Amino acid sequence: MLRSLARTALAARAHISALPIASTSAKTLSSTALRSTAIPVGRKTGHIAFNSIRSFATESSTSTDQDQEEKVIGETKKKTFQAETRKLLDIVTHSLYSEKEVFVRELVSNASDALEKLRHSQLTDASLDSGKPMEIHISVDEAKNTFIIQDFGIGMTEEEAISNLGTIARSGSKAFLENLEGESGAASTKDKIIGQFGVGFYSAFMVGSEIKVYTRSVTPGSKGYCWTSDGSGSYEIAEAENVAVGTKIVIKLRDECKEYAKEAVVEAIIKKYSNFVDYPVHLNSKKINAVQPLWTKDKNDITEQDHIEFYRYVAGAWDNPQFKLVYKTDSPLAISSLLYIPQRHMEVLGMQREEPGVSLYSRKVMIQAKSKALLPEWLRFVKGVVDCEDLPLNVSRELLQDQSLSKLRQVLTGRVIKWMENEAKVDPKTYNHFFEEFGSFIKEGVCTENETTRPNVAKLLRYESSAGATGDVISLKEYVDRMKTGQENIYYTCVPKRKFAEESPYFEEFKEKGIEVLFLYDTVDEFVVNNLRQVGQHKLVSIDAADIKDPVLEGSSSKDGAKDDKKEDDPIAKEEAKLEGENIAEWFRDTLGMQVRKVDVSKRHMSHPAVVTEHDSPAVRKMMAMMSGAAKVGEDNLPPTPTNLEINVHHPIIKKLWSVKNQDPAFARQVAEQIYDNALIAAGVLDDPRSMLKRLNTIMEASLSASASSKSKDTVMQSKKIEVVEGEKV
């Protein structure tokens, strides 16, 4: 019975095939009816699929949109690639692309272009219709080791198939764009066409041992064709039936490329490269590209929830973005970007250095994931997407052909800096919280940027100052705006804590004269100010620098109580004091020897006996120690660099030391060395304070002995006085 019905079906099919071409719809209806022919089998109703009795059947798509198998029915024409074409094919297959996985990107891009061409053509000719949804369908089969991609786009005629598939580096998309010039709607279509070079299709030969292309043009009355090649230098083309409008590519994967028949692998590749193409992409009947390319939308059309979801997708994060930027411009490059700053970063937890967080796209197709070339390394905490439509890509669409990327980097860097500067103005409190978390990146930027960009990055810095409370920070511009009249320099001090700064001997004079000082707590801050050097016309000067020249520091202080006012008024006494000071300085030079470069009488107004100047910064000394290996256990510390010592000859300790130096030279030497070490500690450059413990104990012991001796003498004197008085009474 089954055989009889099958023969009946074939006879009916032959009769229908003989009908005039105008009855194409009748053929389709009859074909559908034949496929649905019910055959009673016992109590059940079964169906014979018409495909089961076909001959020369080819691969079938697992897509629900394509339920007929294609079949070659015409004469097969074998054609040979030209010699130059064969060489190009070999280059494309083995050398052009850095990763084999990009063949998925290339084929999806081609499919998207085919759909876009159809969409544009329908604007002028409504009769052009594939009868299928504007979608891209991909199916993979591990058992058959196949990869199939199908679009229901504009399709190709035989001539177009030979021209586009038989000639490498002939781009059908590029030719289509050239024909669009002057047409209505051309601008929007140009923005959506991806292909440029005509080599993307051939990337399939990197993974396929044989490729079949079934295609039929959307033009009414067009026939279907099958194009076949193994990439060895020739191809075959023949007429085929049951070919849907559009293009279907069947790839028989090589043995070493079987991974591309795995659904999970292909899904990851689609999401990596082609997640934002304009048309739905289905993989084994499941829609893959569900995330919308938000950067193509108008800023006002993007909701807060859209931002959160997109940020989490591109950043692979679970928090919400702290700041967001939608940036679009047409000059000097056509840029559409969507950038975010997270709440926190992973480097603060001591984890590995973060990778760049911004990916480069061109016409919604990813070119470089986490691109290192888009933004400088110090902005690696920024997450998001940058889409530049007119980038001059190379043939593989993986690299750029000229210096446009450096121009893009320059534009983006300037815009991101401006973005953060604006956020600081709009919400200073939130920005200060951001700087507390990400300040190290900003400081890295000041140290690494060029002379042109560095001043702009410096606008993002925030520091505590002597004029504010603990925790309150200001910008360098705010400091400049409230400088004292006539003040020339911006003053700072590098200390671990605010308490150390406020108790520093260097700070006393600035505090007395009401000059604001910035407090820099991080080790890297020393490198920041050394690289920045000045803000506008104002130099950055450390308060421990020698011979600071500034009008606001000139003049006497209100706390010069240690000085003798009579000597200031008496020229002779003043000269004697100067000579005495020079003698004290010379004695210190002789006593300390090579530890100091020179010793001067200090002109600072301070309550400490001495300070050091022109010394290595603590950060530099630590770096030198690490580089020399001196920090290793069991090795001596890095030898201290000689400094300049400034002594306060009006201080009681210096005066007393000068008076006892001849009576007890050994003790005086120890005190002088301790004064010098104390000055090094105040400057933060004494590597190991334990080195002075023995000397300090000796000084304390001598001081206590002298104190005890003094008390003993006082007691004896008091006893003698009492005896005399009592004797007189007797």
Side-chain angles (χ1 to χ4, degrees):
M1 180 179 179
L2 292 176
R3 291 180 180 177
S4 176
L5 286 173
R7 285 195 295 270
T8 301
L10 286 172
R13 177 178 176 82
H15 173 71
I16 293 169
S17 299
L19 294 175
I21 190 66
S23 60
T24 303
S25 60
K27 292 183 180 181
T28 303
L29 289 172
S30 299
S31 177
T32 303
L34 286 172
R35 289 198 309 275
S36 303
T37 301
I39 303 174
V41 181
R43 295 183 179 180
K44 299 181 180 179
T45 300
H47 289 78
I48 292 182
F50 189 75
N51 293 336
S52 63
I53 55 175
R54 280 190 186 155
S55 59
F56 305 105
T58 58
E59 294 84 356
S60 63
S61 170
T62 60
S63 169
T64 57
D65 297 307
Q66 178 70 6
D67 52 8
Q68 289 183 326
E69 291 182 354
E70 301 83 358
K71 184 177 70 171
V72 174
I73 60 173
E75 178 185 357
T76 299
K77 303 174 185 178
K78 187 172 183 179
K79 296 180 178 292
T80 303
F81 291 118
Q82 295 179 356
E84 294 81 1
T85 303
R86 288 199 298 270
K87 292 179 181 179
L88 285 173
L89 181 59
D90 183 69
I91 293 174
V92 171
T93 305
H94 300 99
S95 306
L96 185 60
Y97 297 95
S98 59
E99 299 290 342
K100 290 183 178 180
E101 65 180 20
V102 298
F103 86 93
V104 179
R105 179 194 71 186
E106 297 298 302
L107 297 183
V108 170
S109 297
N110 288 349
S112 177
D113 283 353
L115 291 168
E116 181 58 29
K117 293 172 189 176
L118 175 59
R119 185 198 67 80
H120 179 82
S121 299
Q122 288 173 337
L123 296 177
T124 55
D125 188 350
S127 66
L128 300 178
D129 185 12
S130 67
K132 302 289 185 179
M134 302 283 275
E135 297 175 344
I136 301 169
H137 287 265
I138 299 175
S139 63
V140 291
D141 191 324
E142 290 190 65
K144 295 181 179 179
N145 198 30
T146 57
F147 177 101
I148 302 173
I149 180 170
Q150 182 171 17
D151 68 74
F152 304 108
I154 199 165
M156 292 180 284
T157 63
E158 180 181 15
E159 293 75 16
E160 288 172 336
I162 294 174
S163 177
N164 294 337
L165 303 182
T167 306
I168 299 181
R170 185 191 185 281
S171 173
S173 294
K174 187 174 183 180
F176 180 80
L177 289 175
E178 292 172 351
N179 293 331
L180 283 182
E181 295 297 335
E183 291 189 19
S184 60
S188 62
T189 301
K190 286 182 178 180
D191 293 341
K192 296 178 180 179
I193 294 294
I194 302 168
Q196 299 180 48
F197 303 106
V199 298
F201 164 73
Y202 297 94
S203 64
F205 286 104
M206 293 191 297
V207 298
S209 58
E210 182 185 65
I211 297 176
K212 290 185 178 182
V213 180
Y214 298 100
T215 185
R216 180 157 70 95
S217 173
V218 73
T219 304
S222 296
K223 298 179 181 180
Y225 293 92
C226 176
W227 184 98
T228 307
S229 177
D230 60 3
S232 62
S234 64
Y235 64 91
E236 296 177 350
I237 190 167
E239 184 181 344
E241 64 177 356
N242 297 330
V243 178
V245 169
T247 301
K248 175 180 176 181
I249 302 174
V250 181
I251 303 175
K252 183 68 175 178
L253 296 170
R254 301 177 187 272
D255 291 338
E256 65 272 21
C257 299
K258 290 183 178 180
E259 61 182 302
Y260 300 113
K262 296 180 179 179
E263 183 175 335
V265 173
V266 175
E267 180 177 351
I269 296 172
I270 295 172
K271 288 184 175 180
K272 178 180 179 181
Y273 292 103
S274 306
N275 209 40
F276 301 113
V277 293
D278 287 311
Y279 299 96
V281 179
H282 295 263
L283 175 61
N284 288 356
S285 302
K286 180 178 69 174
K287 186 177 180 180
I288 300 300
N289 57 335
V291 182
Q292 294 183 347
L294 289 190
W295 67 87
T296 62
K297 291 187 174 184
D298 185 84
K299 178 180 180 180
N300 298 325
D301 294 336
I302 307 175
T303 66
E304 186 65 25
Q305 188 60 33
D306 289 338
H307 277 298
I308 292 174
E309 292 177 358
F310 189 79
Y311 159 73
R312 291 179 176 178
Y313 172 78
V314 298
W318 294 102
D319 62 339
N320 296 342
Q322 187 170 191
F323 300 125
K324 51 187 175 292
L325 172 67
V326 179
Y327 174 56
K328 296 184 179 182
T329 184
D330 294 326
S331 179
L333 295 169
I335 302 171
S336 294
S337 60
L338 191 52
L339 304 176
Y340 300 97
I341 293 178
Q343 296 282 349
R344 296 179 63 82
H345 64 90
M346 301 306 295
E347 290 186 19
V348 73
L349 302 177
M351 302 182 71
Q352 65 181 6
R353 192 176 182 87
E354 285 199 5
E355 292 182 321
V358 180
S359 297
L360 175 62
Y361 284 71
S362 181
R363 303 174 189 270
K364 305 185 194 71
V365 176
M366 194 187 71
I367 305 302
Q368 292 179 354
K370 298 180 179 180
S371 176
K372 294 182 179 180
L374 279 179
L375 292 172
E377 191 172 0
W378 67 272
L379 285 173
R380 59 189 176 277
F381 61 89
V382 178
K383 312 296 181 183
V385 168
V386 173
D387 193 316
C388 189
E389 295 179 354
D390 51 7
L391 281 179
L393 303 174
N394 72 353
V395 179
S396 67
R397 285 209 295 233
E398 294 175 317
L399 302 171
L400 303 184
Q401 291 179 326
D402 59 17
Q403 300 301 315
S404 293
L405 190 56
S406 62
K407 186 64 176 179
L408 177 60
R409 176 190 178 107
Q410 181 182 348
V411 172
L412 288 175
T413 301
R415 187 62 185 89
V416 170
I417 294 173
K418 188 68 176 178
W419 166 34
M420 290 189 283
E421 189 178 352
N422 290 338
E423 294 289 355
K425 293 177 181 178
V426 172
D427 191 348
K429 184 176 180 181
T430 302
Y431 178 81
N432 292 343
H433 174 74
F434 153 78
F435 187 81
E436 185 178 350
E437 179 74 17
F438 293 90
S440 59
F441 294 92
I442 307 300
K443 294 171 184 178
E444 181 183 336
V446 175
C447 294
T448 57
E449 278 292 354
N450 55 46
E451 294 291 339
T452 303
T453 308
R454 185 178 295 125
N456 294 326
V457 182
K459 296 177 183 178
L460 306 176
L461 294 170
R462 295 293 184 272
Y463 292 113
E464 283 191 23
S465 85
S466 59
T470 302
D472 293 342
V473 295
I474 63 170
S475 66
L476 296 177
K477 183 180 183 302
E478 289 176 284
Y479 179 100
V480 172
D481 290 343
R482 62 195 198 193
M483 285 169 58
K484 293 176 71 69
T485 303
Q487 182 177 338
E488 296 179 352
N489 304 320
I490 298 173
Y491 295 102
Y492 70 90
T493 181
C494 295
V495 288
K497 298 180 181 179
R498 185 184 184 97
K499 180 181 178 181
F500 295 166
E502 293 175 336
E503 295 178 353
S504 169
Y506 304 101
F507 179 62
E508 288 183 359
E509 184 175 10
F510 293 87
K511 182 179 180 180
E512 290 171 8
K513 296 185 176 182
I515 302 174
E516 187 173 11
V517 176
L518 296 174
F519 295 158
L520 282 53
Y521 301 138
D522 293 340
T523 301
V524 71
D525 286 328
E526 295 188 45
F527 300 100
V528 171
V529 293
N530 287 336
N531 279 277
L532 187 57
R533 292 190 294 277
Q534 66 182 47
V535 177
Q537 302 300 318
H538 305 285
K539 293 182 179 180
L540 285 158
V541 177
S542 175
I543 61 174
D544 62 7
D547 299 326
I548 300 176
K549 305 295 184 182
D550 199 323
V552 295
L553 288 173
E554 296 176 358
S556 61
S557 171
S558 60
K559 289 191 176 182
D560 286 342
K563 295 185 179 181
D564 191 338
D565 293 335
K566 293 182 179 179
K567 289 184 178 180
E568 291 291 330
D569 297 333
D570 186 351
I572 298 177
K574 187 176 180 180
E575 186 64 28
E576 290 177 350
K578 179 181 178 183
L579 182 60
E580 183 181 40
E582 292 175 353
N583 292 334
I584 296 173
E586 184 178 359
W587 179 81
F588 265 92
R589 262 195 309 274
D590 295 339
T591 301
L592 297 176
M594 299 299 294
Q595 297 182 70
V596 294
R597 282 191 291 265
K598 66 177 182 176
V599 180
D600 294 318
V601 176
S602 180
K603 298 178 182 179
R604 298 172 186 266
H605 305 289
M606 60 181 179
S607 61
H608 290 66
V611 293
V612 292
T613 60
E614 297 187 12
H615 53 77
D616 293 334
S617 70
V620 171
R621 286 197 61 79
K622 289 179 182 178
M623 181 179 293
M624 292 173 62
M626 293 175 62
M627 293 177 64
S628 66
K632 294 180 181 178
V633 177
E635 295 187 11
D636 294 335
N637 287 330
L638 193 69
T641 303
T643 64
N644 294 348
L645 180 66
E646 294 184 7
I647 56 174
N648 179 6
V649 295
H650 304 289
H651 196 277
I653 292 179
I654 301 296
K655 289 183 176 181
K656 189 65 175 178
L657 176 62
W658 183 247
S659 65
V660 301
K661 69 177 182 65
N662 294 325
Q663 301 173 15
D664 192 346
F667 178 73
R669 179 183 184 85
Q670 288 182 320
V671 172
E673 291 176 345
Q674 188 61 48
I675 290 173
Y676 180 65
D677 278 356
N678 289 350
L680 293 177
I681 292 175
V685 292
L686 186 64
D687 294 326
D688 190 355
R690 292 174 295 184
S691 61
M692 68 179 185
L693 289 179
K694 183 177 180 181
R695 182 203 314 127
L696 190 59
N697 289 334
T698 301
I699 293 174
M700 288 192 296
E701 182 180 354
S703 299
L704 291 173
S705 297
S707 177
S709 176
S710 176
K711 288 182 178 180
S712 176
K713 289 181 180 179
D714 289 343
T715 303
V716 171
M717 291 299 296
Q718 289 292 334
S719 298
K720 289 182 178 180
K721 288 179 181 179
I722 293 173
E723 290 176 0
V724 172
V725 172
E726 290 178 350
E728 289 179 350
K729 287 183 180 180
V730 176

